Amino acid sequence: QVQLVESGGGSVQAGGSLRLSCATSAFTRTAYCLGWFRQSPGKEREGVAGIYTGGGTTYYADSVKGRFTISIDNAKKTLYLDMDSLKPEDTAVYYCVAVTAPGYTFPDLPGRFGAWGQGTQVTVSS
């Protein structure tokens, strides 16, 4: 079965950087798309960055474009999110997701085709 384990969250001041990691058994063999969502209390879960495993095409939310970078290390079977120039509004729980449905379009919620990590807290102070 698909399993994902996240790490790398923490607390930083505005302008700082963090790298989130997601070790996943649902790599290119089974996943159509890998990505990151985030959710703050009282807010909807939003797609932050996604990458299609077939060709490497990426998606970034406008709010993080130019600051966040999504990547895959094939040898380590790990998905990364490099976050630079962090802002207080980036504070959220970040979840990695593996989507197994061809035709899926990030940042749609994947429904039953999504396998989620447990989430990792990112806190950015001003």
Side-chain angles (χ1 to χ4, degrees):
Q1 63 186 53
V2 176
Q3 293 183 331
L4 302 92
V5 180
E6 296 160 309
S7 62
S11 298
V12 298
Q13 292 194 352
S17 301
L18 286 173
R19 166 174 266 199
L20 305 184
S21 301
C22 176
T24 176
S25 63
F27 210 57
T28 57
R29 186 182 71 85
T30 56
Y32 176 75
C33 181
L34 299 170
W36 295 90
F37 283 70
R38 67 186 181 188
Q39 189 166 24
S40 299
K43 291 186 175 181
E44 299 288 329
R45 186 169 296 193
E46 64 172 340
V48 176
I51 183 167
Y52 294 90
T53 59
T57 301
T58 57
Y59 166 94
Y60 295 97
D62 288 342
S63 59
V64 307
K65 198 170 298 180
R67 300 188 297 118
F68 290 11
T69 303
I70 188 169
S71 62
I72 298 171
D73 187 321
N74 186 271
K76 296 181 179 179
K77 296 183 178 180
T78 301
L79 175 73
Y80 297 103
L81 184 67
D82 290 297
M83 305 184 294
D84 296 319
S85 302
L86 284 162
K87 304 175 180 179
E89 51 262 46
D90 295 319
T91 296
V93 177
Y94 284 71
Y95 301 88
C96 62
V97 65
V99 184
T100 57
Y104 165 80
T105 301
F106 195 94
D108 292 346
L109 288 172
R112 67 184 180 91
F113 298 106
W116 297 89
Q118 80 285 355
T120 185
Q121 176 71 47
V122 171
T123 302
V124 184
S125 60
S126 60

